[in-house]
Amino acid sequence: MRSQVEELAGIRERVLAGPGEKATAAQKAKGKLTVRERIALLLDEGSFHEVEPLRRHRATGFGLEARKPYTDGVVTGWGTVEGRTVFVYAHDFRIFGGALGEAHAAKIHKIMDMALAAGAPLVSLNDGAGARIQEGVTALAGYGGIFRRNTAASGVIPQISVMLGPCAGGAAYSPALTDFVFMVRETSQMFITGPDVVKAVTGEEITQNGLGGADVHAETSGVCHFAYDDEETCLEEVRYLLSLLPRNNRETPPAVPCDDPADRRCETLADLVPADGNRPYDMARVIEEIVDDGEYLEVHQRWARNIICALARLDGQVVGIVANQPQTLAGVLDIEASEKAARFVQMCDAFSIPIVTLLDVPGFLPGVGQEHGGIIRHGAKLLYAYCDATVPRISLILRKAYGGAYIVMDSQSIGADLTYAWPTNEIAVMGAEGAANVIFRRQIAEADDPEARRAELVKEYRAELMHPYYAAERGLVDDVIDPADTRRVLIGALTMLRTKHAERPARKHGNPPQ
């Protein structure tokens, strides 16, 4: 027995050491950590329990029978993040370039099934070269099994993909099916077809980072939610995100003790937001003033900047915040902003995160490009997401709320539980100037002084239909509040709504706009 235990200890040492110093040195030369260093940064110290560390492939041909390393290029298991169970699988690029084969895929399938059965988040640390070509169709079938499990777990457990190396071809679809994608600049890339194929087919020359690097996906494509300069910072932020999410859809996000008073007055808000609706301001500063200790995690910060989606806490409870950003495109809704906010609202609803919507929106972005690009169906995605959400929903109108954008941004008419407004609010079909030009076109044209008459009629329209209490008088706004009371009012409303229960109609699933 003792000799066999010694043999086991030797095997475990080889498993932990990996494929050798040369492969490790090559990994380090690329500025990348090893697979076990990454897991150690992600999980609480000493909490990792590995599953199937002795697994080896059984493929033959093309020299594979002579190379049967332990783990088969992927490390799987579970541990804890701030004491809560998290499952993880991590590619080891030092072994077959992290490429996926039959045994490799089976390990991932198993840990995904375990995560779903245990009701705990799943984090994938991706650093692989795609399907293992030597194993042919069995490798492709392995990816199919991953995609099916990603879909089954969607909205049930949080799924986070962390890109720490290349991810090409069909492999890129697994991260796209998960809730959040993290990337590291310079070392991680995602694309369906690489630069060589692009050049051969279209003649375009581009680098790997130019085609699918972190900045491209964070700013242009919207594939990446978070991008960081190094792996250490990236994995620390993954831990922070996990602290804001529940373990599964049957639980609520973890609450924390809060030293920031719930009734703290936000006196600076009146100075941050100009009363003139045409003057821009930074909505991020408004959010900082309202939330606990000014801390929040913005999702998709660099994509569709005319809308902000963020996770924060109010009185220690996690909330999702959707807010127009007047500093970019005056805060209008366009195709990308609608898609960004719709996905965020769906995520919050799936994981029982209340939604606070801050409105200052002049409408949808006009233009041929937007119309031909399908702003109708893309805007409908956000409308559908709000209408379908059953979590507590509170809206606050800071200034402008015009036209269809007002309705789409969680108005009371589509199911917001409570709607508040500041005394600077203007809720209308359109701005007073535009409305007057339409309604009073003839009177203006026939006037001796058209400009003076237009100004007079604009003032009359604003006084009649756009004064701050018009919507409140008709029950479409629950209360008009002092901006300084915003934090107190939101926390009070969320506390009341914490036990909200909404019945859904019986159906297999909806058919949202695409």
Side-chain angles (χ1 to χ4, degrees):
M1 175 65 77
R2 291 186 184 277
S3 64
Q4 290 175 324
V5 170
E6 288 176 2
E7 181 185 10
L8 173 61
I11 291 174
R12 289 196 178 281
E13 285 182 10
R14 293 200 298 274
V15 170
L16 294 176
E21 293 182 3
K22 184 177 179 181
T24 300
Q27 180 85 347
K28 295 288 188 179
K30 297 175 183 176
K32 301 196 292 186
L33 300 175
T34 65
V35 62
R36 296 187 186 278
E37 288 173 336
R38 290 165 173 169
I39 292 173
L41 286 172
L42 173 67
L43 301 176
D44 297 338
E45 185 176 355
S47 69
F48 183 55
H49 299 265
E50 190 169 352
V51 174
E52 295 191 353
L54 307 184
R55 187 76 178 250
R56 298 198 284 188
H57 74 77
R58 55 188 178 184
T60 58
F62 307 101
L64 284 178
E65 62 273 11
R67 297 178 60 201
K68 292 191 173 184
Y70 291 113
T71 74
D72 200 44
V74 64
V75 177
T76 62
W78 78 90
T80 60
V81 172
E82 296 187 4
R84 297 193 304 156
T85 300
V86 172
F87 287 81
V88 60
Y89 70 85
H91 300 132
D92 190 344
F93 193 83
R94 300 171 301 170
I95 298 175
F96 298 125
L100 181 139
E102 181 186 24
H104 182 120
K107 290 181 65 174
I108 295 175
H109 295 168
K110 181 171 184 175
I111 212 67
M112 295 179 79
D113 290 340
M114 290 175 68
L116 191 57
L122 175 70
V123 178
S124 63
L125 306 182
N126 297 268
D127 186 6
R132 197 173 297 171
I133 299 172
Q134 301 94 321
E135 295 195 31
V137 70
T138 56
L140 297 178
Y143 273 122
I146 293 174
F147 303 157
R148 179 166 57 86
R149 287 167 173 83
N150 284 137
T151 304
S154 180
V156 181
I157 58 172
Q159 299 180 84
I160 300 173
S161 297
V162 187
M163 316 311 297
L164 302 170
C167 185
Y173 284 114
S174 178
L177 290 169
T178 61
D179 299 301
F180 298 98
V181 176
F182 287 72
M183 293 186 74
V184 176
R185 294 185 182 92
E186 302 302 325
T187 58
S188 64
Q189 302 87 28
M190 296 175 67
F191 36 70
I192 299 299
T193 55
D196 293 341
V197 176
V198 170
K199 182 178 179 180
V201 175
T202 70
E204 299 169 288
E205 292 192 20
I206 193 167
T207 64
Q208 287 195 349
N209 280 320
L211 181 63
D215 289 326
V216 168
H217 287 310
E219 296 179 11
T220 306
S221 72
V223 170
C224 167
H225 299 81
F226 306 96
Y228 298 99
D229 291 329
D230 57 79
E231 294 188 22
E232 292 84 355
T233 304
C234 180
L235 292 169
E236 182 62 33
E237 290 300 297
V238 174
R239 287 176 58 89
Y240 179 44
L241 173 60
L242 285 167
S243 74
L244 296 168
L245 300 175
R247 290 184 298 182
N248 55 63
N249 66 340
R250 299 183 301 277
E251 300 182 4
T252 54
V256 299
C258 178
D259 296 326
D260 194 348
D263 59 354
R264 170 173 57 81
R265 284 180 62 79
C266 306
E267 299 288 357
T268 60
L269 288 178
D271 299 319
L272 285 176
V273 181
D276 182 356
N278 294 320
R279 291 178 57 192
Y281 62 92
D282 188 358
M283 182 66 83
R285 295 185 63 192
V286 174
I287 296 172
E288 288 175 9
E289 182 66 21
I290 294 170
V291 302
D292 293 355
D293 303 312
E295 294 182 0
Y296 64 93
L297 179 64
E298 187 170 350
V299 179
H300 268 144
Q301 181 179 9
R302 297 163 61 196
W303 181 60
R305 297 189 186 193
N306 43 323
I307 201 161
I308 295 174
C309 298
L311 292 170
R313 282 192 167 92
L314 283 169
D315 198 29
Q317 303 286 339
V318 177
V319 296
I321 297 175
V322 179
N324 306 109
Q325 174 56 290
Q327 210 170 47
T328 302
L329 295 176
V332 297
L333 288 178
D334 60 4
I335 289 172
E336 292 184 345
S338 299
E339 288 193 333
K340 171 179 170 178
R343 181 74 191 279
F344 183 76
V345 168
Q346 289 170 337
M347 185 279 300
C348 289
D349 187 49
F351 294 116
S352 303
I353 300 173
I355 301 168
V356 174
T357 305
L358 306 179
L359 286 87
D360 192 345
V361 59
F364 282 93
L365 181 65
V368 175
Q370 289 289 305
E371 296 295 345
H372 288 186
I375 185 62
I376 295 172
R377 61 185 174 86
H378 290 289
K381 293 177 184 179
L382 180 55
L383 177 60
Y384 188 100
Y386 269 125
C387 289
D388 200 44
T390 60
V391 292
R393 291 155 48 190
I394 301 173
S395 292
L396 173 65
I397 302 159
L398 281 64
R399 297 194 310 186
K400 301 182 299 296
Y402 293 163
Y406 154 66
I407 302 172
V408 167
M409 288 288 292
D410 206 18
S411 62
Q412 188 164 296
S413 61
I414 67 168
D417 296 296
L418 288 166
T419 303
Y420 297 103
W422 286 359
T424 46
N425 80 84
E426 291 184 354
I427 306 173
V429 175
M430 63 178 68
E433 288 79 6
N437 287 338
V438 172
I439 298 172
F440 306 116
R441 182 184 298 110
R442 180 174 299 177
Q443 294 95 313
I444 293 171
E446 294 174 352
D448 295 333
D449 187 344
E451 288 304 318
R453 183 58 175 157
R454 177 184 288 108
E456 180 183 333
L457 293 170
V458 165
K459 184 178 179 181
E460 178 183 330
Y461 181 86
R462 181 173 281 115
E464 287 290 326
L465 295 177
M466 294 181 64
H467 63 79
Y469 308 102
Y470 184 85
E473 290 170 359
R474 285 152 182 79
L476 297 174
V477 166
D478 291 292
D479 200 6
V480 179
I481 65 172
D482 181 346
D485 289 329
T486 298
R487 175 177 166 83
R488 177 184 62 79
V489 169
L490 290 177
I491 289 173
L494 288 167
T495 300
M496 178 275 294
L497 289 167
R498 197 168 296 156
T499 55
K500 175 186 174 182
H501 177 72
E503 292 288 345
R504 290 178 177 270
R507 61 182 177 183
K508 187 175 182 180
H509 58 74
N511 186 24
Q514 297 297 323

